[in-house]
Amino acid sequence: MLQHVRFSRRLWILAAWTVAGFFCFRFFSINTQNELTNEKQVPTEKAPDTDHSGRHHAHEHSVLWNDAATILETCSLAHIPGFTMLQNVYSINGTLILVSDNGSSLPIPKHVISAWAKVPERRIYLAEEPTHHRIRVVDRATAIRLLGLSARRLHGTTWLFNEPLAYADDSAVLKALRTHYMQESRTGSGPSYLPPRRLLFPHIPIKQQHALPGLSTTPRSIFPSIGIGFKEDWYDYASHDRPIVFDTLVLLDSAATFRNPRILQQPDHSLLRLEVLSPLLAFTPLSNTWWAPWRKRLAEMIGFMESKSNRLIISYVFSSSDHHGKLDSTTHDSLINAAKALEQSHDLVFHVVDTASTNFIDRLRLALSTSIMFGPTGRSLMDVMWMPVAKRATVIELFPDDYLTAKQYHVSKVVGINYQAWRGSRIIEMPSITNETYSELLKSTLQRSVDIEKALRDPIKLDIDKFVQHLVACVEAG
Ligand SMILES: *[C@@H]1O[C@H](CO)[C@@H](O)[C@H](O)[C@H]1NC(C)=O
Ligand SMILES: *[C@@H]1O[C@H](CO)[C@@H](O)[C@H](O)[C@H]1NC(C)=O
Ligand SMILES: *[C@@H]1O[C@H](CO)[C@@H](O)[C@H](O)[C@H]1NC(C)=O
């Protein structure tokens, strides 16, 4: 029996090696912008100890090579600008080194990561194209010169979010899993690189992590053995003058998405586009089934029980600690009273959720059971990605007069939730993904409010009667 087990394990490693090798050579090129051809595959997962790189000794802590002929080359498993999955990525002194004698088989560096620089005194950052101190593509001979003949090895899959806190939100896990899905849907029944071993946020200091509980709580809920590292941890890896090598590296960088000429023809470096656009717009819509297993997994992991009651749940989600994206207090109170009245008249359950004072896991449980969620624009609404698609879940995002963002719209789209944007007394149209409408959105946002901070601080106006009528219509339709 034991022998049988060993035998199949060896066979499996052999198979993984063959398949990985096959895909490295056969499939991937920088032209893989039209991701997705098939949707049937749902995420699968192998045991965490699996040696994804196909190396023969899964637990070596160092990788050695003798010369340029024996250093393992980097290969691209999946890539569209901003979302990249690579195998055998080296790093020394904080520089990512992609090694290949055929550089054109790898993504263009500026489509992989950005160089982020904080603008003093402002919340904004600049995302410049990366210099060769950040990322380089080198041939094998150069690699030997830069790296020497060995590297410390980081086993398994690493997720690296190359973004500062200002542009991070709880959709981080969604973005990484969507990147894995690109790879899985291409390879059909190919190897899975899940679960990730570690998650790194090189631009977010440890002490800031609590500003966004979802950054670490959600990945830890779904993948309990994941290790999470922040800026200081990254520094520990990067400051070493001995190189490291990542078996598999998933790199996410939203600014890199907007260097894709297919999305914006004249990429400007103002970060306005990061405020109003979502990097998720780069993905083609999928059937909802791709996300369902992850929602189910989260529900299981946090001990969520589906309620036996058939009463529809409506949640009003906001954050009392946010300085922007708020209703004024009179409107807020009237809205709550009006929605509460629906509990009786329409036999439903209405929850008011202040994310500033609600435990994050409780928020997730609530989202998993909510059919209609509404609230002011902002990060709190990201919980919608866990809403039950099967119950025709709908999110309604409330906007102030001079601000519009498509972030939530794209998150909803990627997971298959109905999305509505509401301003004042009516639903407003979200521009579709074309160059023209997006640049219009950018331009109009610019013209109307050069200072986004100010536009967001304006209290959101809401015609309560019209809005509640609309809620009732949603309830009756569902
Ligand atoms: C280099 O990679 C490109 C893109 O994958 C491929 O088309 C080309 O044939 C490769 N060249 C060599 C010499 O392998
Ligand atoms: C890394 O830093 C060390 C010490 O500063 C330096 O000697 C070495 O040349 C650097 N290596 C690379 C590849 O930049
Ligand atoms: C953007 O415009 C270019 C040229 O007009 C076009 O080729 C490309 O498909 C457009 N991208 C989108 C997302 O519509």
Side-chain angles (χ1 to χ4, degrees):
M1 185 61 196
L2 193 62
Q3 208 151 20
H4 176 71
V5 169
R6 280 213 199 102
F7 178 66
S8 357
R9 188 177 152 80
R10 228 175 282 150
L11 261 187
W12 191 90
I13 290 175
L14 185 68
W17 187 220
T18 315
V19 173
F22 177 70
F23 283 110
C24 286
F25 291 114
R26 169 73 179 76
F27 270 100
F28 298 100
S29 68
I30 52 162
N31 299 326
T32 51
Q33 312 215 334
N34 245 339
E35 50 110 11
L36 282 188
T37 44
N38 102 44
E39 306 188 352
K40 63 189 191 306
Q41 183 77 4
V42 295
T44 51
E45 199 176 289
K46 305 286 189 304
D49 279 346
T50 304
D51 180 24
H52 296 309
S53 74
R55 290 191 190 103
H56 301 295
H57 306 287
H59 295 287
E60 278 174 359
H61 299 296
S62 277
V63 180
L64 310 172
W65 51 88
N66 302 321
D67 50 34
T70 49
I71 184 170
L72 284 168
E73 285 186 287
T74 307
C75 73
S76 170
L77 295 174
H79 170 70
I80 55 172
F83 303 87
T84 306
M85 187 170 176
L86 300 169
Q87 218 164 22
N88 304 322
V89 177
Y90 301 80
S91 171
I92 185 163
N93 292 354
T95 310
L96 290 180
I97 313 266
L98 315 187
V99 180
S100 178
D101 283 349
N102 181 5
S104 63
S105 66
L106 293 174
I108 302 168
K110 69 174 180 183
H111 287 167
V112 178
I113 58 165
S114 305
W116 295 88
K118 187 152 175 30
V119 177
E121 319 283 317
R122 296 286 308 271
R123 192 171 70 94
I124 61 165
Y125 285 73
L126 294 179
E128 303 293 351
E129 292 187 7
T131 62
H132 77 286
H133 293 300
R134 313 259 176 180
I135 183 168
R136 295 175 71 174
V137 177
V138 302
D139 61 22
R140 293 199 279 188
T142 312
I144 303 287
R145 274 210 318 280
L146 293 174
L147 303 170
L149 293 177
S150 72
R152 296 170 293 148
R153 175 170 176 206
L154 290 180
H155 287 270
T157 300
T158 304
W159 287 357
L160 194 150
F161 285 82
N162 193 51
E163 287 167 2
L165 187 64
Y167 298 102
D169 61 40
D170 293 340
S171 65
V173 168
L174 173 66
K175 289 173 184 155
L177 289 174
R178 185 64 183 76
T179 307
H180 277 273
Y181 187 89
M182 272 200 276
Q183 184 269 331
E184 298 209 347
S185 61
R186 274 210 201 106
T187 54
S189 57
S192 172
Y193 296 90
L194 290 166
R197 285 284 190 90
R198 67 196 67 73
L199 168 51
L200 297 173
F201 296 102
H203 298 282
I204 303 182
I206 288 174
K207 64 181 194 318
Q208 282 180 9
Q209 63 173 302
H210 300 295
L212 258 184
L215 283 187
S216 47
T217 307
T218 316
R220 275 199 191 105
S221 301
I222 304 182
F223 304 110
S225 349
I226 198 169
I228 302 187
F230 291 86
K231 190 173 179 176
E232 293 79 355
D233 305 288
W234 172 246
Y235 186 77
D236 278 347
Y237 288 120
S239 63
H240 223 291
D241 59 10
R242 189 147 177 252
I244 49 178
V245 54
F246 297 92
D247 281 355
T248 306
L249 186 61
V250 174
L251 283 149
L252 299 160
D253 186 303
S254 42
T257 306
F258 300 113
R259 292 195 191 101
N260 183 349
R262 293 160 60 101
I263 291 178
L264 291 185
Q265 283 190 295
Q266 294 164 318
D268 68 74
H269 286 269
S270 114
L271 273 244
L272 193 60
R273 60 201 148 94
L274 288 181
E275 287 277 357
V276 300
L277 303 182
S278 163
L280 288 168
L281 66 83
F283 288 111
T284 39
L286 294 172
S287 74
N288 303 332
T289 49
W290 90 274
W291 182 243
W294 296 110
R295 181 185 177 276
K296 186 158 170 280
R297 163 80 86 100
L298 181 80
E300 254 167 51
M301 297 309 250
I302 65 173
F304 167 78
M305 301 287 215
E306 208 77 59
S307 159
K308 298 210 169 51
S309 149
N310 278 331
R311 292 165 80 199
L312 189 89
I313 297 180
I314 297 189
S315 302
Y316 167 33
V317 179
F318 69 101
S319 165
S320 60
S321 69
D322 270 1
H323 301 301
H324 49 248
K326 272 175 140 167
L327 302 180
D328 69 67
S329 61
T330 324
T331 314
H332 172 83
D333 294 343
S334 324
L335 176 59
I336 291 177
N337 291 334
K340 268 229 166 297
L342 298 180
E343 285 199 316
Q344 302 301 323
S345 61
H346 286 77
D347 190 31
L348 50 81
V349 182
F350 175 58
H351 290 293
V352 178
V353 187
D354 178 358
T355 56
S357 58
T358 308
N359 171 293
F360 187 73
I361 300 284
D362 289 342
R363 271 169 62 182
L364 294 178
R365 291 200 181 105
L366 196 82
L368 285 162
S369 63
T370 293
S371 290
I372 301 176
M373 187 183 284
F374 64 90
T377 181
R379 285 166 169 175
S380 301
L381 274 188
M382 278 301 164
D383 296 353
V384 299
M385 63 192 191
W386 303 110
M387 288 168 73
V389 175
K391 294 186 182 163
R392 304 220 336 204
T394 300
V395 55
I396 312 172
E397 184 169 16
L398 310 176
F399 284 102
D401 286 348
D402 285 331
Y403 178 78
L404 192 61
T405 167
K407 284 190 193 315
Q408 194 55 60
Y409 167 70
H410 287 292
V411 167
S412 309
K413 221 166 131 157
V414 165
V415 300
I417 303 278
N418 298 323
Y419 174 90
Q420 296 171 349
W422 184 279
R423 179 181 282 155
S425 58
R426 62 187 186 89
I427 288 184
I428 53 171
E429 197 70 24
M430 195 48 80
S432 61
I433 310 178
T434 68
N435 295 327
E436 294 70 29
T437 46
Y438 268 105
S439 14
E440 280 313 303
L441 173 62
L442 281 170
K443 248 188 275 161
S444 65
T445 309
L446 248 184
Q447 277 161 5
R448 272 179 288 138
S449 61
V450 175
D451 188 348
I452 287 183
E453 290 280 328
K454 184 189 163 299
L456 273 166
R457 270 196 310 270
D458 289 344
I460 295 173
K461 298 191 197 87
L462 189 65
D463 181 330
I464 305 229
D465 289 342
K466 289 260 169 56
F467 184 71
V468 173
Q469 271 171 27
H470 179 67
L471 272 187
V472 168
C474 292
V475 170
E476 286 168 355

